[in-house]
Amino acid sequence: MKKHFIKVVLSCAIVIGGFTSCKNSSSSSKNVSRATGWKINAKEGGFQYNSDFKEQETPPGTVFVEGGTFTKGKVQDDIMHDWNNSPTQQHVQSFYMDETEVTNVMYLEYLDWLKAVYPPENPSYANIYKGALPDTLVWRNRLGFNETMTNNYLRHPAYAEYPVVGVNWIQASQYAEWRTDRVNQAMLEREGYLAQDSRYQVLSGEVEGTFSTEAYLNNPESVYGGQIDSLQGKQKRDSINVFAKRSSGVIMPEYRLPTETEWEYAAQALIGSREYNNYRGRKKYPWEGDYTRNGQRVGRGDQLANFKQGKGDYGGIAGWSDDGADITAEVKSYKPNDFGLYDMAGNVSEWVADVYRPIVDDEISDFNYYRGNIFLKKAIGEDGKVEILKDQIVYDTLPNGKIVAINLPGEIKEVPVSDEETYLRTNFDKSDNRGYRDGDAGSSRFFQRFSDEADNRKMYDSPKHKVERDSTGKLLRQYDTSNYRTSLINDEVRVYKGGSWRDRAFWLDPAQRRYLPQYMATDDIGFRCAMSRVGSKSKSKNKTVRHKKAK
């Protein structure tokens, strides 16, 4: 005779005399705690939690990239002898990535929002909009006629769905931050935490201030310039759930630039092939095969990406061997890879989040590898609450003289972590980890010859130019004239990946990597955003049962 076991929880109540009376009650209800037997999400109050959460929703504009292991780095012949992408085995967690590069029309939406909320005619806001503008002069060439692109590429509707260029790494990162807030605004409206179309009241000027995701989570009364009460939605009728929290499952993680490891993994798209050579890193392009032309019956001979085919040949012979583009091409002009990502080779190269170093330290990390961590914490005011930058705008003058807004009004002030957070920790001991284990002293056996000064004996001792503005706004430049500089690498150079319309097929390999100072922009570098996945690794409603009870 089989025994049937029924899971129960004990609901206990203290009675007079100190005795307790217990009764069995089913724990099958997801709104009853398995730890205490107390109600969850009770109208009477107590612990509130989204017990109906299923899995993370795919963010707007992105596709799901299931994580896994792969060989990061180049295993083909290193004909350039860069030695900066030696193969290592890495593991990547699941994430989401834009299916295309950020296009001109997507970036124009960002510029239009900045112009409406922070009018550039207001002297206090003048540099916010200006600092976000792409550099359209990147198209100019001393011996080339490209003025048509200079004047039209960004704004003309003919180029609406072409990848935005002329955007430096800092601007790309700020776009991702802006996008996070706008998407979460829409999510809160949809779920009833904000009134329908309240986001447009900021654009029309009906509401002062704006929305910041982190400010909303930490001090919701501060968003919209303190006017959030008038913008709350149907959830306001439930006094318990006036504001969404992380535990509500409504707020999405931040949009950001993908790490180099994520980008390379997504470009390789090994999910479509289980061949041993591909698993070991032998896949040469984001598509199958060793050639850049389509070998299938339909479309045979067509180029699979937009790249420079030879000297003076940016697209092929018109009407025959043409790849359909001379400069950039409209997104989705070529087939996606097996993850559903377009243009992971060719069209434009793309910024990734990492600080560049010619080494990948897999001895210290082979899980979600990333170089560039600067750990910050929220600034706490004297009242014990997080500090909100109400009327403050934090600007930074870049080495090329461009002024960009680092923090906008309504955002949370952040400061580097202190000794209180790092004391006796084993996983990190300081805020800025961009140069961690980059091998300064040990990178060369001759490192002592770099300089006679002890404090300059560094492998990555790039020139340190100074740029600032005086009280009248005049730009003051001071160039580094030291004779001991041996490198252009520092903590402000970022990696960019993928070949572009200006590059030969050699650079289409996802493992290839190059770098550029984060304040510089070109006519062949764009970007796309990524978002981490929270929860399960696999995006499937019917998850596989991996451990079954023994009979």
Side-chain angles (χ1 to χ4, degrees), residues 62-68 94-95 97-99 262-272 274 283 286 336-342 344:
T62 69
V63 297
F64 175 68
V65 179
E66 183 177 346
S94 298
F95 60 100
M97 180 178 275
D98 277 340
E99 63 174 348
E262 287 174 335
W263 194 98
E264 188 171 328
Y265 175 82
Q268 285 191 16
L270 301 180
I271 192 172
R274 292 293 184 263
K283 195 173 182 182
N337 69 7
D338 289 328
F339 277 130
L341 299 167
Y342 293 87
M344 295 301 285

Side-chain angles (χ1 to χ4, degrees), residues 485-540:
R485 302 305 184 191
T486 61
S487 172
L488 293 176
I489 301 173
N490 58 28
D491 290 341
E492 277 73 47
V493 295
R494 302 286 174 167
V495 179
Y496 66 95
K497 303 276 285 183
S500 74
W501 64 274
R502 280 192 176 278
D503 295 315
R504 301 287 186 95
F506 171 80
W507 296 105
L508 302 185
D509 185 340
Q512 293 291 2
R513 58 201 302 258
R514 289 173 282 183
Y515 67 90
L516 196 70
Q518 63 187 22
Y519 59 85
M520 294 183 69
T522 71
D523 61 358
D524 61 345
I525 299 181
F527 71 101
R528 71 180 77 207
C529 297
M531 179 186 290
S532 299
R533 176 170 171 82
V534 294
S536 62
K537 174 180 180 289
S538 175
K539 189 177 186 295
S540 174

